[in-house]
Amino acid sequence: MTLNRLRAAKFVGVLVGTTIVGLSLRVLVERFGVSAGRDVWRGFHSVETTRVVAAATLTVVAFALLSTYDHLALLHIRRRLGWRRASFAAFVASGIGQSIGASLLTGAAIRYRLYSSWGVARSDVAQVVAFTTASFWLGVLSTSGMALAVQAGVLSPILHLPARLLSVIGVSCLLIVVGYVCVSWRRRPGASIGSLRFTLPSPPLALAQTVVASLDWLATSAILYVLLPPHSGVGLAEFAGIFVVAQLVGALSHVPGGLGVFDTLMLAMLSPRIPAGRVAAALITFRVLYYLVPLAIASALLAVREAGLQRLRIRNVAHSVVRRVSTMMPAVLSLATFSAGVVLLVSGATPAVHSREVLLQQMSPTPLIESAYFVSSLIGVALLFVSRGLQRRLDGAYALAVPLLVGGVVASLLKGLDFEEAIYLFAVLLALLPARRRFSRHASLLAEPLTRSWTVAILAVLSASVWLVFFGHRHVRFANDVWGHVAIINATRALWMTAVAVVTTGLLGLLRLLRPAQPRAVAPDASTVARAHAIARTSPTAGAHLSIVGDKALLFGVRGDSFLMYGIAGRSWIAMGDPVGDVAERSALAWRFRELAAQHAADAAFYLVAPENLPLYVEMGLRLFKMGETARVPLATFTLDGGAQKWLRRARRQVVDDGCTLSVLAPADVAPALSQMQNVSDAWMAT
């Protein structure tokens, strides 16, 4: 079957199932009227607790009988997996399969997943699936056949079919079951489908299979039977026939659990004798006990098992998520701190809640309240600038952010009992406290470059605060004397607080503008090169010795135990490799280089970096680009022999034919050859 046909068949199956459910629900509404909801509610109250307990016990019995299907199937294929595994596979396959529709296919898929993971061959799994499927139909045929053959006269008016026809159908079903058991006595070789071979079970197994399946269907029908009124006039044998017929029609509809179809048939066949509300209440309780509860338990068991099998992959995913969250944490905390500053500034620009303000004035003196407003505005502006330092992972920014947030919480309560604002600031503080080790860079806050986007964001917050002052106090006529009415009206306070915020922001911005400019990169002198060469001698990487060439600018760490070499091309500052020297200084030096480039409105890049340092550059907000690869040749074991080196042998012959020679220089011969190498390098660069 082609893919398009499979999709079309799946679509038709879904469409048919949906149509059946819709028609069933329509019949339920039209047949039992709008008062069915009240009847069902009364039906629930009339079901005794003892009957629910009995139904739950019978559910356990029914699933125990279902698990016997797999035990017998494993005996049939002569495989020993243990009682626990077989019961687990049977319960999970049955609990999930019969609840989500297409139970035979779903159960087969789950059994294949479980048994194959336990080392059972594909052909043996197929025989287990065939055995359990046959058990299902043997139970249907034997139970319904017995009920139709014995209770044909009683079921005839319920099913609206002649009693003789029901007897014939019942006897035919029983003959099929008997024929199955008799054929097993002949022990035919079986049948093959492709590479899969199916054999009939032995006569004792076939007989046990039939008995267990029949008992399973009887136990399942008894679950619903005990939930019905005790004096309904319907016997268990009669009810089992009705139940099996309704279940069979529901299973053939491929609707999950026969939802709607099974219920409609049961209501239609039982409502003449039992009130519809009682039947509906019993059906709902039956579905909860037999479908929903096993589905939840089976799904949980399967999920736990799959998680156990994939624990290594889950652990790797969890570590990856934690690593990514850890990398993003400073940026998230920076944004939260910035928003805390916005909250304080907006709060100072808007009117306070009158009832809270009156209560606060009764508890605190006016100067304390006005001081709290003043301090909150200063803290709000400070948090806007400190958040930039948090984004850059500065330890000084962290040391300032914690007391600022504490002060913001206190000021929020003192200025107007603003509990909501205080709770938000406290939440930001709680998120910031455990992240101390994420802020380990030593640098000045004022030396940090304030990017264009950050400047625009701060100006936007201040502009919004000014607008809120005039919008929130639009009923006040602003005049020159308004500025002098301290603590008389909210507008005066809002004007003063916003003015303080604007002036403070301007002063901080002016300090940044007046800071001394960083010098541009210059070529190092001989003493600087010698200083870098001394550090490069301790480095395990050969690229560190490129510093002695003298054509790259050098940037040293704060303690002078590390350096970074770089060049400038247009608006790009490009570092040659990773920072060299003290490992503890490398992170701070890389950040310093990036900030130095930003101060000159340039982009920073690192070329030829080591894989172990990639997390540092990702944390700095840089993107990774693969531009090539570095070849490492183990000279002690390298050889040109073998088919894999055929192209190298060919290339070697070509250069040898051109008059070239290959030799490995001893350490003492390297210095005299450097001038020749430089001539070759200069000629190559020139072309």
Side-chain angles (χ1 to χ4, degrees):
M1 183 179 290
T2 64
L3 182 60
N4 291 333
R5 289 183 179 179
L6 285 172
R7 290 175 177 173
K10 184 177 180 180
F11 174 77
V12 171
V14 172
L15 182 62
V16 171
T18 304
T19 303
I20 292 173
V21 171
L23 293 175
S24 301
L25 294 177
R26 181 180 178 183
V27 170
L28 286 173
V29 173
E30 293 181 352
R31 176 74 180 270
F32 303 105
V34 296
S35 64
R38 295 189 297 271
D39 295 339
V40 172
W41 185 251
R42 286 194 295 268
F44 275 121
H45 285 282
S46 62
V47 178
E48 297 88 347
T49 305
T50 55
R51 291 185 172 274
V52 176
V53 173
T57 304
L58 287 170
T59 302
V60 175
V61 173
F63 274 92
L65 291 169
L66 273 174
S67 66
T68 309
Y69 290 8
D70 287 65
H71 290 284
L72 295 176
L74 292 173
L75 288 175
H76 171 54
I77 63 173
R78 294 182 174 86
R79 287 299 303 265
R80 292 173 178 260
L81 285 181
W83 174 86
R84 183 178 300 176
R85 286 183 172 180
S87 300
F88 179 86
F91 176 76
V92 171
S94 303
I96 296 177
Q98 67 185 7
S99 299
I100 66 174
S103 59
L104 298 180
L105 295 177
T106 307
I110 294 175
R111 283 186 171 92
Y112 177 78
R113 169 67 178 169
L114 295 175
Y115 283 122
S116 60
S117 67
W118 293 327
V120 180
R122 185 170 65 97
S123 57
D124 289 339
V125 177
Q127 289 213 65
V128 171
V129 172
F131 189 95
T132 55
T133 303
S135 301
F136 171 85
W137 288 108
L138 285 171
V140 171
L141 293 173
S142 58
T143 308
S144 59
M146 183 66 67
L148 293 175
V150 177
Q151 300 287 334
V154 178
L155 294 175
S156 177
I158 299 176
L159 300 177
H160 303 287
L161 292 173
R164 187 180 297 276
L165 177 61
L166 293 178
S167 299
V168 172
I169 295 175
V171 172
S172 301
C173 292
L174 293 175
L175 288 176
I176 294 174
V177 175
V178 173
Y180 173 81
V181 176
C182 292
V183 169
S184 66
W185 284 89
R186 301 189 61 179
R187 302 292 292 168
R188 291 188 175 183
S192 299
I193 301 178
S195 60
L196 302 178
R197 184 168 184 80
F198 300 93
T199 59
L200 289 173
S202 62
L205 276 180
L207 185 60
Q209 180 185 17
T210 305
V211 172
V212 169
S214 303
L215 293 175
D216 169 43
W217 277 100
L218 286 174
T220 305
S221 61
I223 298 172
L224 180 57
Y225 181 76
V226 298
L227 294 171
L228 295 174
H231 305 293
S232 59
V234 181
L236 178 59
E238 175 187 351
F239 179 81
I242 299 172
F243 179 88
V244 173
V245 171
Q247 281 278 13
L248 180 59
V249 176
L252 294 176
S253 69
H254 291 284
V255 177
L259 182 63
V261 182
F262 168 77
D263 309 87
T264 302
L265 291 174
M266 292 301 296
L267 279 166
M269 291 186 286
L270 294 177
S271 57
R273 300 187 185 183
I274 306 172
R278 289 295 304 270
V279 177
L283 287 170
I284 294 173
T285 308
F286 168 76
R287 286 198 171 279
V288 171
L289 293 174
Y290 190 73
Y291 289 105
L292 296 183
V293 173
L295 173 63
I297 298 175
S299 300
L301 291 175
L302 185 62
V304 170
R305 181 185 182 276
E306 291 299 317
L309 293 177
Q310 303 295 331
R311 59 182 177 274
L312 181 60
R313 183 178 301 177
I314 293 174
R315 187 184 302 117
N316 292 336
V317 172
H319 288 171
S320 176
V321 171
V322 170
R323 187 166 55 251
R324 289 179 180 274
V325 171
S326 177
T327 302
M328 295 170 56
M329 186 60 67
V332 174
L333 292 175
S334 170
L335 180 61
T337 305
F338 186 90
S339 65
V342 173
V343 168
L344 288 173
L345 292 176
V346 170
S347 175
T350 53
V353 179
H354 180 69
S355 59
R356 295 183 183 180
E357 191 172 22
V358 171
L359 178 62
L360 188 62
Q361 288 177 353
Q362 297 173 357
M363 299 168 55
S364 304
T366 300
L368 180 62
I369 299 174
E370 298 305 323
S371 300
Y373 271 97
F374 181 78
V375 171
S376 67
S377 295
L378 292 179
I379 292 176
V381 174
L383 288 175
L384 296 184
F385 284 88
V386 168
S387 61
R388 172 61 175 165
L390 292 177
Q391 186 195 34
R392 296 304 227 176
R393 297 164 174 79
L394 300 184
D395 55 354
Y398 179 88
L400 278 177
V402 171
L404 286 174
L405 287 169
V406 173
V409 172
V410 176
S412 299
L413 296 174
L414 290 178
K415 70 181 183 179
L417 294 179
D418 198 336
F419 298 105
E420 299 84 358
E421 180 180 316
I423 290 174
Y424 178 73
L425 294 175
F426 188 68
V428 176
L429 176 64
L430 290 180
L432 191 63
L433 287 177
R436 173 65 185 88
R437 63 187 183 88
R438 296 294 171 189
F439 304 93
S440 57
R441 293 186 54 235
H442 304 284
S444 172
L445 278 174
L446 293 178
E448 287 295 309
L450 202 60
T451 61
R452 185 179 307 169
S453 59
W454 212 268
T455 304
V456 170
I458 293 176
L459 293 177
V461 172
L462 292 177
S463 301
S465 299
V466 174
W467 177 80
L468 283 172
V469 170
F470 292 98
F471 179 78
H473 304 88
R474 56 189 180 277
H475 59 284
V476 179
R477 289 189 60 186
F478 288 92
N480 292 333
D481 60 341
V482 175
W483 294 88
H485 290 280
V486 179
I488 302 300
I489 56 175
N490 282 326
T492 302
R493 179 189 297 142
L495 283 172
W496 274 107
M497 295 308 103
T498 305
V500 168
V502 172
V503 172
T504 305
T505 303
L507 290 175
L508 291 174
L510 185 62
L511 286 175
R512 286 177 173 274
L513 291 175
L514 294 178
R515 71 183 187 275
Q518 296 287 345
R520 296 190 64 83
V522 294
D525 54 20
S527 61
T528 305
V529 171
R531 179 184 172 191
H533 191 202
I535 300 174
R537 288 175 179 172
T538 64
S539 174
T541 59
H545 297 276
L546 291 175
S547 58
I548 66 175
V549 178
D551 61 343
K552 304 171 185 64
L554 299 176
L555 179 66
F556 287 87
V558 176
R559 295 195 300 267
D561 297 330
S562 61
F563 73 90
L564 184 148
M565 43 189 166
Y566 67 97
I568 298 176
R571 294 186 61 254
S572 298
W573 289 38
I574 305 172
M576 183 65 191
D578 301 301
V580 180
D582 187 10
V583 177
E585 276 194 352
R586 290 180 184 178
S587 175
L589 184 56
W591 273 100
R592 183 180 166 197
F593 174 73
R594 188 183 190 280
E595 290 150 7
L596 187 63
Q599 290 173 10
H600 291 82
D603 297 323
F606 292 81
Y607 177 65
L608 287 180
V609 296
E612 60 268 19
N613 293 324
L614 292 181
L616 168 63
Y617 302 120
V618 173
E619 187 177 287
M620 293 169 59
L622 303 181
R623 288 179 294 172
L624 306 177
F625 295 96
K626 183 178 179 181
M627 303 181 65
E629 295 178 344
T630 300
R632 295 177 181 263
V633 180
L635 296 179
T637 58
F638 180 75
T639 176
L640 291 176
D641 299 334
Q645 308 297 346
K646 181 179 181 181
W647 65 278
L648 277 177
R649 292 195 298 270
R650 186 185 303 113
R652 181 176 181 275
R653 283 196 301 269
Q654 291 177 354
V655 297
V656 169
D657 293 342
D658 292 337
C660 299
T661 58
L662 173 67
S663 61
V664 179
L665 297 179
D669 299 330
V670 173
L674 284 178
S675 59
Q676 300 178 26
M677 296 179 187
Q678 183 174 357
N679 294 333
V680 174
S681 177
D682 293 342
W684 177 71
M685 292 291 291
T687 57

